[in-house]
Amino acid sequence: MFKLFRPLLFVYGVLLLCMSVLMAGVTLFAGLTGDSEFRVFLVSSCAVFVTGALLTVIFHTRRFQLVSRQLYLLTTFSWVIMSLAGALPFYFSHYPLTVTDSIFEAVSGITTTGSTVISGLETLPESLLLWRSLLQWLGGLGVIGMAVSILPFLQVGGMRLFQTESSDWSDKSLPRLQDLARALLLTYLALTLACTTSYWLAGMTPFDAVNHAMTTVSTGGYATDDRSMGRFSPTILWISILFMLLGALPFVMIIGFLRKPSLVRLKDQQARGFVLIVATLALSQTLFLILYNKEDAFDALTQSVFNLMSVITTTGYASADYSSWGTFSFVLFFLATFIGGCSGSTSGGMKIFRFQLSSMFLKSQIHKLIHPSGVFSIRYNQKVVQDDIMLSAVAFSFMFFVALGVITSLLSMFGLDFITSLSGAATALTNVGPGLGDIIGPAGNFQPLPDGAKWLLAFAMILGRLELLTVMVLFTPMFWRG
């Protein structure tokens, strides 16, 4: 058992050292601006650094190769450990947060969910606002790296379907995994910088521009004001729409296009499906607001596209309380909660490709009913989809709705109403952020929920972020028997 965990503890130490560097950056910012939380971040940074240094020194291993069991443990507990470290500044800050609330806020940040227990964000010290944004930015980068490098190896997650394309791309263009990681980081940084500059030029303050850029590109959704994006101009909302879209597209596709610009590289079936779904739902919502709510056409279009893009990409921003737009809008946004962006992006949700595969599978089954002796193959991006990938998609969908039912039931045991329980479970598993209803809807937050419900939702956030099966396998006796 010690051999199983030794290299993992070393990696955890490295992750904690990285977290301490980020905290040190916020400490420097707090010191330069005279922020009241300077000592909080200084102590937290030192504590995390010492812990990380001890783990790396004690469990240092020159060369090691992780097997699948270790990768499952590494993937799951990395998010847990980073969440615990990220919660320290919240707990020790002058803002009154309990252990439960601190960990909930950190988990929501690192998983890029965006649910919050903090109200009065505009009165919060800037260092804490910056830390919330950094957690989501780091989480978004981790999501991409995990989706591209770890989950395909574990036969889990959406990138299995794109393993051939991504490996072809990396073999021909960037021969080493380190080069792929470097390209992902540089692209992520470039998008963040471009988003920051765009926000600033459109009228945001430099501080708001930096914070919102980090939480837009990471499709996280943390804002610096309780009004979220509702206080900004339509120009800023359309800039946000663009970068939420880019954050929800496959990063391997974006990198390939940036290296060799060509429209052929954009002919990805998943990306086209994502854009089509957003456009269809946004058009439906726009027409509803114009015809039934008698709103101005441009305002209706802006609000519809922005809020639907935010929910579908699992960003979680809000520019209005869309749950009050009427029953049609209420149902539409609830359904949009489950969709998610593309595999290999920063977004959560069930992912577009699973809906595409399901529709293709249904079409194939109908053909077989008409022609029982026929042989029908499912093709995706001009490649035949293997049976094990279809089975994986079916297993994920089954597990997702089982988890949704179980978590909804457990939340209701804490005295929450049906809408709060169901939308809370859905928004946690899909990493969207706001739920529906008066309590956790776009105009509310998660502070009023019982502590037990917050712990359950924090677990659900990690469960959804890691594509469910990565976590669920740890609860099987077979895994621990080796």
Side-chain angles (χ1 to χ4, degrees):
M1 187 62 71
F2 179 75
K3 290 182 179 180
L4 179 69
F5 283 98
R6 182 182 179 89
L8 302 184
L9 291 170
F10 171 74
V11 176
Y12 296 149
V14 173
L15 291 175
L16 288 176
L17 290 177
C18 294
M19 290 287 286
S20 71
V21 171
L22 289 178
M23 285 186 189
V26 180
T27 303
L28 178 61
F29 169 81
L32 293 174
T33 59
D35 194 288
S36 60
E37 305 302 322
F38 169 75
R39 291 186 178 179
V40 169
F41 278 97
L42 180 61
V43 172
S44 299
S45 177
C46 291
V48 173
F49 176 82
V50 170
T51 305
L54 287 174
L55 288 175
T56 53
V57 170
I58 295 174
F59 300 104
H60 177 70
T61 306
R62 289 187 177 181
R63 290 185 179 182
F64 59 86
Q65 185 173 1
L66 300 179
V67 298
S68 60
R69 289 178 69 213
Q70 291 172 315
L71 283 174
Y72 281 111
L73 291 167
L74 174 66
T75 305
T76 301
F77 286 102
S78 291
W79 294 84
V80 174
I81 288 172
M82 288 192 295
S83 296
L84 294 175
L88 291 178
F90 295 124
Y91 180 68
F92 290 115
S93 72
H94 294 89
Y95 190 88
L97 284 179
T98 63
V99 172
T100 298
D101 287 346
S102 299
I103 291 178
F104 181 93
E105 194 77 10
V107 171
S108 180
I110 206 72
T111 59
T112 72
T113 302
S115 303
T116 184
V117 294
I118 300 176
S119 57
L121 291 171
E122 58 277 8
T123 64
L124 213 62
E126 289 188 340
S127 58
L128 285 178
L129 293 175
L130 181 61
W131 181 239
R132 294 168 82 244
S133 302
L134 274 171
L135 283 177
Q136 291 203 324
W137 190 84
L138 177 64
L141 182 61
V143 167
I144 306 168
M146 177 187 69
V148 172
S149 59
I150 297 179
L151 294 187
F153 176 81
L154 295 177
Q155 305 294 294
V156 172
M159 286 306 291
R160 289 190 60 206
L161 184 60
F162 311 99
Q163 211 165 2
T164 303
E165 292 88 14
S166 63
S167 63
D168 283 348
W169 178 84
S170 60
D171 289 343
K172 294 173 183 176
S173 305
L174 299 175
R176 295 183 300 275
L177 183 60
Q178 293 89 335
D179 293 328
L180 174 58
R182 188 181 301 113
L184 290 172
L185 176 59
L186 291 175
T187 303
Y188 196 63
L189 285 170
L191 288 177
T192 306
L193 179 60
C195 188
T196 302
T197 305
S198 300
Y199 278 149
W200 176 61
L201 292 176
M204 277 192 184
T205 65
F207 182 77
D208 277 343
V210 169
N211 280 271
H212 287 88
M214 286 192 288
T215 59
T216 300
V217 174
S218 65
T219 61
Y222 272 159
T224 58
D225 190 288
D226 283 352
R227 293 168 290 177
S228 189
M229 297 290 277
R231 61 193 174 109
F232 296 116
S233 66
T235 302
I236 289 178
L237 297 185
W238 281 103
I239 291 171
S240 184
I241 289 168
L242 171 62
F243 284 97
M244 284 191 288
L245 170 64
L246 292 174
L249 293 177
F251 265 64
V252 169
M253 184 192 78
I254 295 175
I255 295 170
F257 177 79
L258 292 176
R259 296 187 73 255
K260 292 182 180 179
S262 171
L263 292 178
V264 176
R265 292 186 176 273
L266 300 180
K267 291 183 178 179
D268 178 85
Q269 193 167 342
Q270 184 180 204
R272 284 183 289 144
F274 171 70
V275 173
L276 179 62
I277 288 176
V278 172
T280 302
L281 295 182
L283 179 60
S284 302
Q285 179 60 48
T286 301
L287 291 175
F288 175 79
L289 290 179
I290 293 173
L291 296 176
Y292 292 93
N293 290 15
K294 308 300 180 183
E295 295 192 17
D296 175 76
F298 179 73
D299 288 342
L301 178 65
T302 301
Q303 296 297 331
S304 297
V305 176
F306 176 82
N307 287 286
L308 276 168
M309 180 70 80
S310 178
V311 171
I312 293 173
T313 62
T314 70
T315 305
Y317 286 143
S319 61
D321 185 5
Y322 46 77
S323 63
S324 65
W325 286 352
T327 304
F328 173 78
S329 301
F330 191 92
V331 173
L332 188 67
F333 275 91
F334 176 72
L335 295 177
T337 299
F338 297 94
I339 297 174
C342 300
S343 186
S345 70
T346 62
S347 63
M350 295 186 69
K351 302 295 192 303
I352 296 296
F353 82 94
R354 289 192 176 98
F355 291 95
Q356 292 173 319
L357 288 183
S358 297
S359 65
M360 292 176 184
F361 181 70
L362 178 60
K363 183 179 178 180
S364 174
Q365 292 301 108
I366 292 175
H367 286 169
K368 287 182 180 180
L369 290 175
I370 300 173
H371 305 284
S373 301
V375 177
F376 304 97
S377 60
I378 297 176
R379 303 183 69 87
Y380 196 89
N381 280 336
Q382 287 79 51
K383 298 192 181 217
V384 176
V385 179
Q386 302 298 320
D387 290 342
D388 63 328
I389 292 179
M390 288 298 305
L391 291 174
S392 176
V394 171
F396 173 88
S397 300
F398 173 76
M399 282 301 305
F400 180 90
F401 287 107
V402 168
L404 178 67
V406 170
I407 294 172
T408 300
S409 300
L410 292 175
L411 286 174
S412 67
M413 293 176 64
F414 289 101
L416 303 181
D417 62 88
F418 176 72
I419 293 298
T420 301
S421 299
L422 179 59
S423 66
T427 195
L429 285 172
T430 57
N431 305 117
V432 170
L436 295 172
D438 296 331
I439 301 176
I440 61 173
N445 68 20
F446 287 71
Q447 175 59 44
L449 301 187
D451 283 355
K454 292 173 186 174
W455 281 104
L456 179 61
L457 289 172
F459 171 74
M461 292 177 204
I462 295 177
L463 187 64
R465 183 77 278 176
L466 300 183
E467 301 272 356
L468 278 82
L469 296 176
T470 308
V471 179
M472 296 306 295
V473 72
L474 301 182
F475 292 91
T476 61
M478 185 181 299
F479 176 85
W480 296 103
R481 286 199 297 264

